[in-house]
Amino acid sequence: MPLDFLLEIGSEEIPDWMIEPALEHLKGAFTKLLADHKLKGGVAWVDATPRRLVVQLTGLPKGQKDSVETVSGPPKSAGEGAAMGFARKMGVTPEQLETVTTDKGEYFCFKRKLVGKPTGEILAAALPGLILGIPWPKNMYWLGKGTPRFIRPIRWMVALLGPKVVEFEVTGVKSGAATMGHRRLAKSKKPVKVSIKNYEQKLLENFVVVRAEARRRKIEAGIADLLAGTGLRVKPDAALADTLCYITEYPTPILGSFAESYLTLPAEVLVTVMRHHQKYFSVVREDGSLAPHFIAVMNTESDSEGFVRAGNERVLRARFNDARFFYDVDQKKPLAERVADLKHVTFQKDIGSYFDKVKRMETMLAGMDARRACELCKCDLTTDMVKEFTDLQGLVGGIYARAQGESEAVAQAIYEHYKPLSMEDSIPATLAGQQLALADKMDTLTECFRVGLIPTGSKDPFALRRAAQGAVKILVEGALETKLHELIASDALKTFFEDRVRYYFRDCKGYAYDEVNAAMACGWSDLKDLAARLEALKAVRPTEDFEPLAASFKRVKNILEQAAFTGGVIDAGQLTDEAERNLHAAMGALELSGLGYHEQLERIATLRPVLDQFFDKVLVNAPEPHVRQNRLALLHHLRSEFSRIADFSEIVTSSN
Amino acid sequence: MDSFQQIIFKLKQYWADRGCIIQEPYDNEVGAGTMCPETFLRVLGPKPYRVAYVQPSRRPADGRYGENPNRLYKHQQLQVILKPTPADVIEQYLGSLEAVGIDLKKHDIKFEEDNWESPTLGAWGIGWQVMLDGLEITQFTYFQQCGGIDLDLCPAELTYGLERLAAFLQNKESVYEIEWAPGFTYADVRFEDERQNSVYNFEMADIPTLWKLFDTHEGECQRLIDAFRGLAAEDAAGRARFPVLSTYDHVLKCSNLFNLLDARGAISVTERVGVIARVRKLAVGTAQLWMAQQAPVSPEVAA
């Protein structure tokens, strides 16, 4: 009967964000372990709480099957002496050797019997290395210098193969059959003996919900109960929900409140305090406005006496009071009076201050609103609010600008000028905001490249890739007339941007890589135009004539390259063959001016039959030089005239 | 309800019962209990040690003239060092909360990742901030490196924020309302301290004087480090009696002066990194001296 295996690595509290990658790794490591040892079975599930990583395998055999390994020796022609030597090496007599015939001749060989190992033995030998092999972003030692490292100290381990303990030791901890319950709610502080079958049940009785999904549902159901009938709902926050799932073993949400008077503070500030500092969900009314409540998730069963709620409310009050203090102090010196203070805020030591940065950005901007917004956009870096809540840079500037009587357009542009923060994020909504955000990003890129801060591999401390992708996204989605190449100051930055443009259209917009290559080959400075060309190309690609036409263009390109032909005049009178005359006529008849890209491509695709016919009937490399020159000129003309939307030869087709 | 001092007595008793030496606060200005030689130097090397002490910790930039209910120029930390770390360290820690009257079944306790690092001390560790009903009450750190030196044993450092803990236990909105002793509030004992030091730190501290003091202490510290390094290899007695602890006092002076200059707004962002590096060089140098002095056979002191 196939066996199950359960491993629980009991540790001190693991940082929540590291848990899922660790589980992914464990899953892969166990799958590989089984394959390497030719064991049937697989990973049934992996899951975790902050204090335990759990893996269950299923369908395992009792042990490996016995097998025979053939070790080949010297060729038979090498004679008796060689056979003796080989037999000695194998630890057998020459009589026990056999021969095997290969295409190189006859060889001595020895068929060694391998006795299969019990599964438990294999696991016991492999587990210490497997557990310590989990890669962690930052690990530690705790038993002294030179001892093994792990994310946090390992305190216990459960390792059961069927009913039996798989015995091994890691960091001085011996595996066993006993787990630990919740730190405070467990029935006893002593270890709890478990079997594979009752593992989850026993833990639940000791207030540990092993499955993250079950904890998530417990949180969601708890919140639904708390808010039922109140007309309130939580502001959805998937990342916060993930965090809470992995910092609790027995999550229970509670509803807390704060005084209405705090709602006069900017909602962004309140939400940031609740979310980032206290890990609370914000609560909103039906109209989406912030309500004076929050949801905290406890790692315990209940708050029957209200201590936890009162404690959290007290902490939040103190934090909100701080925020109010910052807000009031900040208003005493408006943003407009803080411009000179930016001289003392370093952007980067070799690049200079934010004051310098803003001055450079201003030269890139024309509109009144954009220029005013630019002047003020970094001033919030000197405010107490942003010093305390750095994530709110930009937002605070926008909120303050509005409160201090700047125009709505200026306030909005400042508010949004760090956008897009990711490829999923939207670009600034207003033109002034888009221009300001673009100027900010281009300045950062230009200056960082100027002083040699160029991203390499995974190292990109100034998030320059994100800045460049953000610039691309703004140019495309804002449909700005600005030409990217006019903003680029160096070849290195141009190469960098080429990759980012490619990335944006391929990975963010879902275009095939060859479509992106084909369209970019015809230019990528006007990104709005590039986007339009790509859209047309993608639409036409599935049509019947397109890919064969693309294949022919590839052929045209190869012929021109082989001939090193760079252009010439077509002499219509010298077109001797009917097929080439047809092609020439069809090219001449193709009226493209005034058409959109899509229609142009459709018309170009109609060249397919005459082009096919041309290659069928006409020998380009004709013996007579002037005929050959003329045909090359015809093809060159075809390629240059009709490859302005995309270089079709870049399209990968089944025929090339 | 326990007074502030009663809470401290209980915590000290709890850790004394678990083998800790109860030390008194260090008599030099420090920014945190970690900087006291009882932690910074004692965590180095292979000798086991257990100690607990209250340390008034000065953070000039956090001063608020006694007007902010939760921010203080000088707050009190209870610092516990367990070297090496016992396997049940977290249970022991939770026991200390129960010892001051917190029923953990009625409260919410969470361990949230928070790795500690001190660039000026060349020290870092891995750990958590311990959250009690959403309030950070303790920093829990497994020390990994100090003075740029990997630690032989891996001590656990527990740092309790005593004002926060007391305000929580006494259910006070402001630290100044905490009852320090029967009939005396925290404000009675410490308000003037907060107000006057804020005035000095933010308004009256003379920047050129602070820089001069910084340079002086730095020079004296470096002179001592160099003197130790200049001792003859066979001069075991000279090394044994060398004033490493006095050398370290000058590191602490520099660190405090750096904090004062920072609060005074006298250090630009660009300069900051450089000044931190100067203090760090002294801290690392002194840690190496300590190791060399402790070693039975003195190893080469790194230049």
Side-chain angles (χ1 to χ4, degrees):
Chain A
M1 210 180 82
L3 293 169
D4 283 353
F5 170 70
L6 177 77
L7 175 71
E8 179 191 60
I9 308 164
S11 118
E12 293 177 1
E13 281 76 353
I14 303 169
D16 56 272
W17 58 281
M18 299 181 184
I19 291 178
E20 284 189 354
L23 290 178
E24 262 322 291
H25 173 85
L26 273 177
K27 205 169 165 180
F30 270 103
T31 307
K32 183 171 182 305
L33 174 73
L34 296 181
D36 287 353
H37 291 86
K38 300 190 169 57
L39 289 172
K40 279 193 181 148
V43 177
W45 56 274
V46 292
D47 222 311
T49 76
R51 293 178 71 205
R52 61 202 83 227
L53 301 170
V54 190
V55 183
Q56 187 170 339
L57 308 182
T58 190
L60 301 178
K62 275 210 177 87
Q64 287 170 322
K65 288 196 180 117
D66 292 347
S67 59
V68 174
E69 178 192 38
T70 305
V71 187
S72 21
K76 200 164 180 201
S77 56
E80 291 276 312
M84 294 258 293
F86 177 58
R88 208 161 37 241
K89 209 170 122 195
M90 292 292 104
V92 294
T93 60
E95 292 74 45
Q96 287 172 274
L97 296 184
E98 296 177 40
T99 57
V100 60
T101 309
T102 73
D103 48 6
K104 285 179 189 162
E106 223 175 337
Y107 284 80
F108 288 110
C109 73
F110 174 61
K111 291 195 173 155
R112 184 151 58 189
K113 272 195 185 159
L114 296 174
V115 180
K117 282 186 190 160
T119 303
E121 204 175 289
I122 293 169
L123 288 171
L127 283 169
L130 187 147
I131 291 169
L132 294 175
I134 300 173
W136 300 101
K138 189 165 194 174
N139 58 19
M140 61 172 282
Y141 63 85
W142 61 98
L143 294 172
K145 193 154 73 181
T147 59
R149 306 175 78 92
F150 201 67
I151 179 59
R152 290 291 185 277
I154 296 174
R155 294 303 184 201
W156 78 88
M157 280 179 304
V158 175
L160 291 169
L161 181 62
K164 276 196 200 137
V165 172
V166 175
E167 289 181 18
F168 64 97
E169 190 179 315
V170 175
T171 67
V173 177
K174 287 193 170 71
S175 59
T179 183
M180 297 294 290
H182 187 281
R183 278 201 188 279
R184 273 297 166 276
L185 300 177
K187 289 181 200 158
S188 132
K189 287 185 185 177
K190 293 198 186 101
V192 182
K193 203 164 178 299
V194 290
S195 67
I196 294 180
K197 207 167 164 217
N198 71 13
Y199 171 73
E200 287 186 66
Q201 184 55 36
K202 281 274 177 197
L203 276 173
L204 190 60
E205 288 165 15
N206 285 281
F207 297 91
V208 174
V209 179
V210 175
R211 307 287 188 137
E213 270 318 301
R215 291 195 299 277
R216 190 186 306 273
R217 285 195 304 274
K218 191 170 183 317
I219 293 171
E220 285 167 359
I223 292 174
D225 278 354
L226 289 169
L227 297 183
T230 61
L232 302 170
R233 58 187 164 83
V234 289
K235 205 174 150 77
D237 190 334
L240 179 59
D242 283 346
T243 298
L244 291 167
C245 279
Y246 285 118
I247 57 171
T248 55
E249 299 210 284
Y250 197 81
T252 307
I254 51 169
L255 179 65
S257 304
F258 54 86
E260 292 260 1
S261 58
Y262 292 112
L263 291 173
T264 55
L265 282 167
E268 293 87 343
V269 172
L270 299 177
V271 170
T272 298
V273 170
M274 288 190 274
R275 183 186 189 308
H276 292 280
H277 294 251
Q278 296 300 131
K279 299 192 169 74
Y280 300 157
F281 288 103
S282 304
V283 174
V284 292
R285 300 191 177 99
E286 268 157 8
D287 64 2
S289 66
L290 210 55
H293 300 287
F294 64 90
I295 300 272
V297 175
M298 309 183 293
N299 181 32
T300 188
E301 188 191 13
S302 73
D303 180 31
S304 51
E305 295 178 55
F307 289 144
V308 183
R309 182 179 49 76
N312 279 284
E313 287 176 346
R314 198 174 142 275
V315 176
L316 189 62
R317 233 174 359 253
R319 292 233 179 237
F320 281 176
N321 283 337
D322 268 359
R324 177 178 282 165
F325 177 78
F326 298 142
Y327 186 89
D328 292 344
V329 169
D330 287 345
Q331 299 316 309
K332 290 179 187 161
K333 188 170 183 181
L335 295 179
E337 289 173 25
R338 294 174 184 261
V339 177
D341 297 348
L342 289 176
K343 287 178 185 165
H344 308 295
V345 185
T346 308
F347 173 65
Q348 199 280 334
K349 69 177 168 57
D350 298 326
I351 296 173
S353 70
Y354 272 96
F355 183 83
D356 305 331
K357 181 173 180 38
V358 166
K359 286 283 160 234
R360 286 191 305 269
M361 283 159 60
E362 272 178 27
T363 64
M364 300 162 70
L365 296 165
M368 290 265 292
D369 288 338
R371 289 181 72 97
R372 176 63 175 168
C374 180
E375 192 185 359
L376 302 179
C377 70
K378 300 298 179 189
C379 290
D380 67 355
L381 295 175
T382 69
T383 63
D384 283 2
M385 192 69 89
V386 170
K387 283 180 194 160
E388 184 73 9
F389 306 113
T390 49
D391 290 350
L392 292 178
Q393 59 181 2
L395 306 189
V396 165
I399 293 163
Y400 284 8
R402 192 172 293 134
Q404 292 161 10
E406 298 293 332
S407 74
E408 180 54 31
V410 169
Q412 183 71 15
I414 296 172
Y415 189 91
E416 296 193 311
H417 85 276
Y418 287 95
K419 279 169 105 43
L421 292 170
S422 68
M423 284 297 96
E424 292 76 39
D425 192 15
S426 61
I427 64 165
T430 64
L431 180 61
Q434 290 163 9
Q435 290 167 335
L436 180 60
L438 183 65
D440 190 14
K441 289 167 176 58
M442 290 311 304
D443 178 71
T444 297
L445 286 158
T446 305
E447 290 297 308
C448 284
F449 270 68
R450 184 177 62 78
V451 301
L453 296 169
I454 299 172
T456 51
S458 61
K459 286 211 181 78
D460 184 10
F462 288 86
L464 298 184
R465 290 194 183 94
R466 192 177 73 189
Q469 279 151 213
V472 171
K473 191 171 163 100
I474 291 168
L475 285 167
V476 175
E477 294 173 27
L480 300 187
E481 297 296 337
T482 312
K483 304 290 179 285
L484 178 58
H485 290 187
E486 289 166 14
L487 304 175
I488 293 177
S490 69
D491 289 345
L493 186 54
K494 191 168 175 182
T495 309
F496 182 73
F497 254 108
E498 191 172 356
D499 278 348
R500 296 302 103 200
V501 171
R502 216 178 285 281
Y503 174 86
Y504 171 77
F505 283 107
R506 203 182 54 204
D507 295 73
C508 305
K509 288 288 162 187
Y511 289 106
Y513 77 98
D514 59 343
E515 291 164 7
V516 176
N517 288 346
M520 283 180 71
C522 299
W524 52 276
S525 181
D526 184 341
L527 293 181
K528 183 178 84 164
D529 181 65
L530 174 60
R533 287 187 279 121
L534 261 169
E535 197 186 332
L537 181 61
K538 187 176 182 172
V540 174
R541 185 168 192 178
T543 57
E544 187 187 358
D545 287 332
F546 185 77
E547 291 215 358
L549 182 82
S552 297
F553 265 84
K554 179 123 189 156
R555 198 165 162 188
V556 169
K557 181 187 172 193
N558 290 341
I559 290 168
L560 291 172
E561 273 173 9
Q562 270 164 25
F565 189 80
T566 54
V569 181
I570 306 168
D571 179 352
Q574 291 290 338
L575 295 170
T576 54
D577 196 288
E578 191 190 351
E580 64 182 321
R581 280 198 301 276
N582 286 347
L583 177 61
H584 185 241
M587 282 162 59
L590 218 54
E591 189 55 61
L592 299 181
S593 64
L595 295 179
Y597 290 140
H598 190 154
E599 286 133 326
Q600 286 190 42
L601 287 176
E602 280 176 336
R603 293 228 177 149
I604 293 168
T606 62
L607 290 176
R608 182 205 164 178
V610 284
L611 191 55
D612 283 354
Q613 194 192 28
F614 174 86
F615 280 124
D616 267 357
K617 306 275 161 116
V618 177
L619 180 67
V620 178
N621 281 323
E624 308 86 337
H626 67 278
V627 176
R628 187 172 75 223
Q629 283 302 106
N630 209 30
R631 287 177 181 165
L632 286 170
L634 179 67
L635 291 183
H636 187 268
H637 186 69
L638 172 78
R639 178 163 152 80
S640 58
E641 274 303 293
F642 303 115
S643 295
R644 289 181 183 164
I645 299 172
D647 180 350
F648 305 126
S649 65
E650 292 284 346
I651 297 291
V652 177
T653 62
S654 44
S655 52
N656 64 7
Chain B
M1 184 182 79
D2 285 336
S3 63
F4 187 58
Q5 63 191 28
Q6 200 66 37
I7 294 165
I8 293 171
F9 296 154
K10 283 186 176 174
L11 285 171
K12 283 183 172 178
Q13 187 62 54
Y14 180 85
W15 287 110
D17 292 345
R18 276 151 194 81
C20 287
I21 293 161
I22 302 303
Q23 254 284 20
E24 300 306 320
Y26 197 57
D27 58 348
N28 235 332
E29 307 93 330
V30 294
T34 308
M35 304 178 81
C36 300
E38 283 296 292
T39 295
F40 180 79
L41 295 175
R42 296 277 193 175
V43 295
L44 295 165
K47 284 185 198 158
Y49 201 63
R50 285 188 166 207
V51 64
Y53 53 93
V54 172
Q55 184 61 48
S57 303
R58 301 178 183 226
R59 309 252 167 102
D62 284 351
R64 292 291 183 273
Y65 298 86
E67 289 164 11
N68 182 303
N70 300 297
R71 282 193 197 220
L72 295 167
Y73 153 63
K74 186 161 77 184
H75 71 290
Q76 330 280 320
Q77 296 183 338
L78 178 79
Q79 171 86 355
V80 180
I81 291 292
L82 304 171
K83 175 193 176 190
T85 305
D88 64 344
V89 59
I90 292 189
E91 281 306 312
Q92 287 197 29
Y93 164 70
L94 293 174
S96 74
L97 299 181
E98 285 166 339
V100 294
I102 300 171
D103 181 350
L104 290 175
K105 290 196 171 165
K106 293 181 179 169
H107 292 273
D108 177 38
I109 202 118
K110 291 198 194 88
F111 289 78
E112 297 184 1
E113 180 194 19
D114 193 17
N115 300 324
W116 171 85
E117 185 176 8
S118 168
T120 46
L121 297 182
W124 65 276
I126 294 262
W128 307 273
Q129 47 180 349
V130 184
M131 308 295 288
L132 177 64
D133 298 346
L135 176 72
E136 184 197 346
I137 50 160
T138 306
Q139 177 73 39
F140 187 125
T141 305
Y142 287 107
F143 254 100
Q144 303 284 294
Q145 214 182 49
C146 199
I149 297 168
D150 283 342
L151 298 182
D152 288 298
L153 300 178
C154 175
E157 177 196 63
L158 311 176
T159 306
Y160 299 71
L162 289 172
E163 286 86 354
R164 284 186 177 193
L165 188 60
F168 175 89
L169 286 166
Q170 298 184 4
N171 196 22
K172 303 289 190 199
E173 290 285 318
S174 162
V175 293
Y176 293 104
E177 294 166 13
I178 292 171
E179 187 192 68
W180 187 302
F184 291 92
T185 64
Y186 194 89
D188 293 334
V189 182
R190 291 222 48 255
F191 175 77
E192 282 306 327
D193 204 355
E194 285 297 314
R195 181 162 70 172
Q196 294 182 17
N197 278 299
S198 294
V199 172
Y200 178 74
N201 298 339
F202 291 128
E203 300 168 25
M204 295 185 70
D206 181 57
I207 293 171
T209 305
L210 294 180
W211 276 122
K212 200 155 65 183
L213 287 170
F214 184 92
D215 293 343
T216 305
H217 286 293
E218 181 189 35
E220 180 67 348
C221 189
Q222 192 60 53
R223 185 182 69 80
L224 289 164
I225 292 171
D226 293 341
F228 186 96
R229 287 174 181 162
L231 292 174
E234 62 280 3
D235 188 2
R239 265 193 303 279
R241 65 191 296 279
F242 193 89
V244 175
L245 290 165
S246 317
T247 308
Y248 185 63
D249 280 341
H250 291 286
V251 178
L252 293 179
K253 288 288 182 196
C254 286
S255 167
N256 184 56
L257 287 158
F258 165 74
N259 290 339
L260 278 169
L261 283 161
D262 204 22
R264 198 74 180 79
I267 301 177
S268 72
V269 181
T270 329
E271 280 176 310
R272 222 183 130 77
V273 182
V275 185
I276 288 175
R278 284 166 70 183
V279 182
R280 183 192 160 96
K281 184 178 170 219
L282 303 176
V284 167
T286 310
Q288 287 167 349
L289 259 51
W290 171 268
M291 288 294 281
Q293 193 171 48
Q294 295 292 306
V297 180
S298 180
E300 284 289 305
V301 178

